[in-house]
């Protein structure tokens, strides 16, 4: 039976037949690599995901972390799986050799991580958070901080968190109130110390016993000359606050003053601890005093910029999580549809005839095809974005790096948001294919649906990414990011105009028209002369442009298929049919959306609170 | 603080200002009634829903029914709430006086039941199932059966179930295998007895101790002359199978041979027991022999027709359940948006300014307005359908009854399916408005979302209703049902053309064009000459026509608003703005859908299993 975690065939298609990942081995950083090492990493990931991640996915959901004697109890399978992942080198797969990594390209590492997430998104979250934390520190921390905190994280000995939100400050980070005051005493390593006090909310992985230490990356405000926090984002600095302070040998020692105040209980993603943390309330007294000891990362008041350095990659991670939930749900539904017998063709009037597998019903195939179009379209988007990270970092010429940087920047809100919306829809369709069984906890698909609902909220809500795309990414650098995206789409259109397939030429014309419409509409929106009105429908803009982008990547996939079907005609016919589905059923949805945007519709803007 | 269960103001608007329910009191059946008695029933329902249903909604979800010592344990609050509802006369609110009812119109009874469902859909399910069962029996059962089974159900002493599905037969009822064989012995009341053997799946309310007896309505096959079940739906008969056989006084006595084989554990609706039941496996031996004793209802081999007599009303019930989950989710989100402070206007650059309630953000208002448009649109649809039931039963002239019958028949698949799709979307938006909090089980909206996902599956899946609408309702009686709907829409368009409001006149033109397009497209689809192709996109047809119908009912609501806003301008402005939202944002979505249908798109039909 084929795996229901991920389709290895599809991954190979995207990586090798479309994104030409093998050619990355021509670059110095990846000189030791090639398809063989990439495949070996994927093999390892698939094996560990199958053997250690997937088997406890439901158990973890049904036995969520809880507090016992002041510690967070987590089923033992989680630590066993995480340890195996780290020991196989997969956590640090993309990191420098000198940090214990394998120097795999980002795009391969993301495909590797996709296996863990598809098999068990809750357990994988600890890995993603740790990597996000480590990557942030690698960008701005001191060599000593890297040595003491990053190295053990990449080895899987310590785990990391990102502590941004507070109960009263979620989307509005400028309103955080956690304070960091200089400590009169320096740390044992001579580093300047701060004392942090405040509460952090929604901290995934915020407390557990899965690793020897927890390295919290914390946003906090250093008081200004008047002793009061500086209002707004300009007052925010970034700190390392370890759960256990390190001794001179770098071993976890004295307990720091950061404690669990409560666990949040979610609809999905239940296997990941999600915490309210109290900093500096004096439950522990490191160095004899209350206050959580923290170390400044980078310059003071640059905390948000430092934290957001790695946001693009973290957001690709969220996009990947949403995507692979869509993929695995689709594969589960496909498997069910091929084996569940129910009903007959409309024209078959003889009830004595045997029932058919439900995949024989057109409406079931529609639901499977939609899932395929959403999930594989999202996977293309996420891997394309990861490929841009490699390009941005290792492309031989400056212009290529700059272009990748621009494309990555403008695509990030879409890469984060589109899979959250449409792979959730895929998961809903996976339930629908299963009928009543899909709605029960005896099957797997309802959990995917619950897990996936988170992804439109964390790492910036859908609405925030709409504002990021329309209000910032589209206009910065004089529209250079937007123009770069248009160039890429135009290049694909140009290539598709010359192919033999009339279908693909038709898709190219549709895509070209849709993108031209996006350009015109974007100009019209910026011509409104009223920023409130321009941005009023930013979420809709995000959705419309997202659909055009995924249509583009479906055409890209179709162009990567051998016109004659090669030796696997079924596989490529499936790709082309999913592409056709996207152009027939999905891209046209942007028509009315772009109409609304072109009108600068004010229906929501005009609505008044008392009218509700 | 206004109630977050339902908006009484909106109910009053729909019932009295739009549907003119007071005029029903002119009819003999409702002669004792008027707005005063209607309001009294609604008052009672609101009070019991608030005091006894809502408080245990979350507790029931988190402490789902489970088996203890062979019995199903359910938190005691459920029985207390159900008893209060029955004792207040609300269960039998629409029934005849002689059966202990209040003879309220169906539309009022549905509004009454809406309170129970909005406050606690899982607990209310026992009531709905019992009513569905009783109404089925009232249509076809013998006077003795009515006396012995229906009367105690309407008093809340017995509860009822509907046993249709089997593990191997869900949507395909023709494939049920439960057998019913004539018993040599008659029952104590001289009634012919059958012995049933088989397994029934997904039986809500199938086992519990909430009432003195459980009256199962069971579909089973009486063997033909060759001793084998007759294949297909033609072999299906309907039976009453009580959990306890009744003694000569009608009291529950000997235990019948129907037993719980297992409870299903669902994503939502957790408070309703949902069972696999075994009939006739000999665990109990009524009359000294294995086999569940059952009594035939109506003619043999007419079981499906008898069961489906009351399907229209049961499906209005499902539509109402989905709808009010949307309504209560919206009211919760509205309340949260008015109190949660977060962020500032885009133009406000001063972070020292206080944060705003999030309803000040346009994107939050968009999400609230969408919820209002979906939830209040669905409520209009469901109450309109219930009003048609009253018309069908009590309109003074034959032509009006016939027309109501036709409209009800064609609207039923939409009334059942549209709220399941769009009020689920409303619940997703309610989570989104809450941000991370909405995703936690500490708040209420995630449960609404989980509960609501069931509604596109049970009582006929989305796909089944698509086939019912396009494959049957549109074409039967030479298209008379479809024509009746067109006439009603046309009448609304004609009325709106004469109003002062340019907005409403514009909406009328849009609606007229959309309906004409539906007519043309429907003709084109029936002209395909290939039923597989005509029906290939039936689900999409259901969705497109559903949106046009709800647009029509939004225009109806807008026309019921006083043009000058009367004494409550805010309330009516809200209605008009939600109507505008529907015409700006929603109705245009049908454009690409109708394009696909007009093309008789074969993307899903052409897709082949091996291509996936």
């Amino acid at each position: 039976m084929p795996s229901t975690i991920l389709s290895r065939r599809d991954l190979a298609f995207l990586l090798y037949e479309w994104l030409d990942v093998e050619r990355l081995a021509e670059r110095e950083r990846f000189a030791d690599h090639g398809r063989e090492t990439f495949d070996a990493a994927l093999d390892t990931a698939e094996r560990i995901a199958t053997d250690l991640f997937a088997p406890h996915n439901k158990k973890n959901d049904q036995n969520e972390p809880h507090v016992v004697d002041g510690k967070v109890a987590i089923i033992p399978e989680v630590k066993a799986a995480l340890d195996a992942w780290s020991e196989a080198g997969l956590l640090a797969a993309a990191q420098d050799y000198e940090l214990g990594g394998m120097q795999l390209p980002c795009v391969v590492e993301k495909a590797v991580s996709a296996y863990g997430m598809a098999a068990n998104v809750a357990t994988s979250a600890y890995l993603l958070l740790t990597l996000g934390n480590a990557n942030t520190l690698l960008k701005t921390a001191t060599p000593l901080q890297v040595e003491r905190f990053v190295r053990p994280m990449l080895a899987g000995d310590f785990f990391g968190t990102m502590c941004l939100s507070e109960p009263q400050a979620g989307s509005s980070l400028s309103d955080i109130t956690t304070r960091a005051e200089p400590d009169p005493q320096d740390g044992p390593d001579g580093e300047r110390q701060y004392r942090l006090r405040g509460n952090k909310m929604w901290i995934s992985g915020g407390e557990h016993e899965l690793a020897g230490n927890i390295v919290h990356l914390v946003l906090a405000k250093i008081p200004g000359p008047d002793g009061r926090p500086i209002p707004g984002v300009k007052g925010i600095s970034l700190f390392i606050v370890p759960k256990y302070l390190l001794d001179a040998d770098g071993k976890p020692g004295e307990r720091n003053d950061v404690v669990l105040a409560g666990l949040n209980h979610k609809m999905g993603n239940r296997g990941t601890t999600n915490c309210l943390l109290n900093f500096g309330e004096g439950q522990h007294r490191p160095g004899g005093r209350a206050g959580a000891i923290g170390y400044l990362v980078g310059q003071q008041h640059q905390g948000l910029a430092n934290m957001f350095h790695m946001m693009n990659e973290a957001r690709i991670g969220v996009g990947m999580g949403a995507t692979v939930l869509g993929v695995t749900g689709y594969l589960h539904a496909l498997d069910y549809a091929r084996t569940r017998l129910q009903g007959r063709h409309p024209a078959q009037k003889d009830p004595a005839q045997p029932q058919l597998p439900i995949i024989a019903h057109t409406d079931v195939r529609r639901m499977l095809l939609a899932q395929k179009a959403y999930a594989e379209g999202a996977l293309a988007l996420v891997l394309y974005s990861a490929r841009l990270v490699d390009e941005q970092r290792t492309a031989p010429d400056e212009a290529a790096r700059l272009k990748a940087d621009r494309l990555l920047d403008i695509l990030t809100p879409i890469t984060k948001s589109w899979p959250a919306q449409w792979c959730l829809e895929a998961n809903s369709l996976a339930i629908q294919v299963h009928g009543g069984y899909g709605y029960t906890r005896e099957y797997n698909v309802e959990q995917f649906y619950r897990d996936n609902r988170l992804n439109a909220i964390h790492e910036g809500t859908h609405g925030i990414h709409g504002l990021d795309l329309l209000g910032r990414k589209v206009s910065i650098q004089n529209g250079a990011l937007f123009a770069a995206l248009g160039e890429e789409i135009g290049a694909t259109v140009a290539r598709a105009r010359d192919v033999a397939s009339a279908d693909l030429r038709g898709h190219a014309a549709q895509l070209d028209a849709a993108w031209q419409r996006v350009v015109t509409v974007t100009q019209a929106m910026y011509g409104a002369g009223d920023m409130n009105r321009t941005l009023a429908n930013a979420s809709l803009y995000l959705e419309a442009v997202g659909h055009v982008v995924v249509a583009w990547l479906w055409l890209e996939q179709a162009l990567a298929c051998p016109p004659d079907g090669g030796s696997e005609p079924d596989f490529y016919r499936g790709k082309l049919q999913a592409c056709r589905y996207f152009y027939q059923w999905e891209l046209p949805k942007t028509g009315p959306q772009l109409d609304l945007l072109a009108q600068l519709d004010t229906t929501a803007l005009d609505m008044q609170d008392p009218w509700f």
Side-chain angles (χ1 to χ4, degrees), chain A:
Chain A
M1 203 187 82
S3 170
T4 51
I5 297 176
L6 287 179
S7 160
R8 185 66 180 273
R9 179 68 191 87
D10 190 42
L11 270 183
F13 169 76
L14 294 170
L15 294 176
Y16 304 126
E17 297 171 56
W18 175 45
L19 292 173
D20 209 7
V21 167
E22 283 169 275
R23 292 205 54 194
L24 286 171
E26 294 166 11
R27 298 182 186 170
E28 193 187 331
R29 180 174 175 84
F30 309 124
D32 297 339
H33 288 294
R35 179 153 180 176
E36 203 172 325
T37 58
F38 299 158
D39 279 346
L42 290 168
D43 288 344
T44 305
E46 182 169 5
R47 182 174 50 74
I48 298 177
T50 306
D51 295 346
L52 295 173
F53 278 66
H56 73 277
N57 192 38
K58 189 189 290 291
K59 183 177 177 187
N60 206 12
D61 180 65
Q62 296 182 344
N63 299 274
E64 65 191 317
H66 55 283
V67 180
V68 178
D69 297 335
K71 296 195 172 185
V72 178
I74 297 179
I75 60 167
E77 290 89 339
V78 175
K79 184 166 165 54
L82 294 170
D83 287 350
W85 193 268
S86 300
E87 282 159 21
L90 299 180
L91 176 60
Q95 303 293 336
D96 295 353
Y97 291 137
E98 61 165 17
L99 284 165
M102 297 201 276
Q103 289 194 187
L104 280 169
C106 176
V107 63
V108 176
E109 185 221 25
K110 286 284 175 275
V112 160
S113 75
Y115 268 108
M117 286 194 274
N120 193 322
V121 77
T123 293
S124 293
Y126 298 101
L127 300 167
L128 288 185
L129 290 158
T130 300
L131 262 189
N133 178 314
N135 285 334
T136 305
L137 289 178
L138 284 170
K139 205 84 179 178
T140 42
T142 64
L144 183 68
Q145 289 170 336
V146 168
E147 196 56 32
R148 287 163 64 81
F149 296 106
V150 176
R151 191 176 283 280
M153 279 198 285
L154 293 179
D157 296 331
F158 296 178
F159 280 173
T161 74
M162 319 275 262
C163 300
L164 287 73
S165 299
E166 300 180 1
Q168 83 298 341
S171 292
S172 183
L173 283 174
S174 65
D175 291 285
I176 63 166
T177 59
T178 296
R179 293 166 66 101
E181 289 174 279
D183 197 36
Q185 214 170 347
D186 283 346
D189 46 12
E191 198 174 6
R192 181 77 182 272
Q193 284 186 173
Y194 289 79
R195 293 280 182 164
L196 280 79
R197 290 180 178 80
N199 314 106
K200 289 290 176 180
M201 187 58 165
W202 309 122
I203 310 310
S204 289
E207 180 58 15
H208 55 70
E209 310 292 323
L210 298 169
N213 204 354
I214 302 177
V215 181
H216 301 291
L217 265 189
V218 185
L219 293 182
K221 292 190 170 181
I222 301 171
D226 61 354
R228 298 171 61 179
I230 297 165
V233 295
K234 288 179 187 146
I236 299 176
S237 302
L238 181 63
F239 298 88
I240 294 169
V241 181
K243 176 178 171 184
Y244 296 103
L245 301 171
L246 303 189
D247 65 18
D249 298 332
K251 300 277 172 254
E254 189 177 8
R255 185 70 164 80
N256 202 357
D257 191 11
V258 46
V259 296
L260 179 71
L263 291 173
N264 296 308
H265 298 96
K266 295 184 168 183
M267 174 166 67
N269 258 43
R270 294 188 179 187
T272 309
T273 58
N274 187 274
C275 311
L276 175 61
L277 295 180
N278 287 347
F279 290 79
E281 298 202 343
Q283 189 162 332
H284 301 284
R285 301 174 61 85
R289 289 179 50 222
I293 289 179
Y295 312 105
L296 183 67
V297 179
Q299 298 296 306
Q300 72 171 9
H301 306 327
Q302 295 297 314
L304 211 58
N306 290 336
M307 182 65 106
F308 275 70
H309 263 142
M310 292 315 302
M311 272 296 159
N312 282 345
E313 204 175 330
R315 285 168 173 172
I316 294 174
V318 171
M320 181 62 95
T323 295
V324 295
L325 283 168
V327 174
T328 191
Y330 159 58
L331 296 174
H332 278 77
L334 181 57
D335 181 52
Y336 186 81
R338 284 175 166 156
T339 50
R340 168 74 173 173
L341 303 177
Q342 196 74 183
R344 294 164 193 81
H345 285 304
Q348 175 56 268
K349 303 289 184 202
D350 179 4
Q353 290 299 311
Q355 297 198 74
L356 298 169
I358 60 173
I359 199 169
H361 302 303
T362 305
D363 196 49
V364 172
R365 287 204 303 284
R366 172 188 65 82
M367 293 191 280
L368 292 169
L369 193 51
Q371 289 174 69
K372 181 178 170 76
Y374 299 148
E376 294 181 6
L379 191 57
L381 172 65
V382 175
L383 290 177
Y384 181 86
S385 298
R387 183 73 175 72
L388 288 174
V389 173
D390 288 315
E391 214 54 20
Q392 176 200 40
R393 290 189 190 148
T394 64
D397 68 292
E398 170 71 27
R401 290 197 297 276
L402 178 63
K403 176 156 202 179
D405 191 62
R406 287 173 167 168
L407 285 170
L408 182 62
D409 247 19
I410 196 163
L411 286 178
T412 294
I414 296 167
T415 306
K416 191 272 170 185
S417 298
W418 198 90
Q421 182 172 10
W422 293 101
C423 291
L424 178 70
E425 180 60 25
N427 290 148
S428 184
L429 290 170
I431 292 174
Q432 196 69 20
V433 167
H434 281 74
Y437 292 99
Y439 190 69
T440 68
R441 287 156 18 229
E442 280 73 20
Y443 282 71
N444 295 314
V445 288
E446 66 88 27
Q447 185 185 343
F448 302 149
Y449 182 64
R450 284 187 291 108
D451 286 350
N452 217 348
R453 184 62 189 81
L454 177 62
N455 288 310
I457 299 171
H458 68 162
E459 284 293 338
T461 64
H462 197 72
I464 295 286
H465 284 286
L467 291 173
D468 181 44
L469 177 65
L470 178 61
R472 229 173 63 79
K473 300 294 176 62
V474 157
S475 60
I476 52 173
Q477 296 180 36
N478 252 328
L481 283 56
F482 187 73
L485 179 58
E487 272 173 38
E488 292 303 296
I489 292 174
T492 305
V493 168
R495 266 199 299 143
R497 276 193 180 128
D498 295 331
V499 298
S501 158
D503 277 355
L504 298 197
R505 293 198 309 270
H507 297 341
Q510 246 186 297
L511 175 62
D512 189 36
W515 179 255
Q516 294 314 324
R517 186 90 207 281
V518 167
V519 171
T520 315
V521 165
T522 306
Q523 285 163 348
M525 292 174 78
Y526 266 91
D530 169 359
M531 213 50 192
N532 278 331
R533 198 164 171 200
T534 298
L535 296 179
N537 302 312
S539 293
L540 186 70
Y541 184 84
L542 174 69
E543 294 177 13
V545 177
H547 249 50
V548 174
V549 163
V550 175
W552 161 49
L553 297 180
W554 264 115
L555 183 55
E556 278 279 319
Q557 290 187 71
L559 292 170
C561 295
D564 61 356
S567 58
E568 295 165 291
D570 284 343
F571 176 80
Y572 296 111
R573 287 294 291 271
K575 278 287 174 196
L576 294 174
Q577 195 71 2
C579 179
R580 177 177 154 196
Y581 175 86
F582 207 90
Y583 277 84
Q584 282 284 92
W585 286 66
E586 296 298 327
L587 185 57
K589 290 178 180 171
T590 62
Q593 293 175 326
L594 292 165
D595 289 345
L596 273 170
L597 294 167
Q599 293 166 38
L600 287 143
D601 177 78
T602 59
T603 309
L605 190 66
D606 294 344
M607 184 70 185
Q608 302 295 311
D609 176 346
W611 302 353
F612 281 109

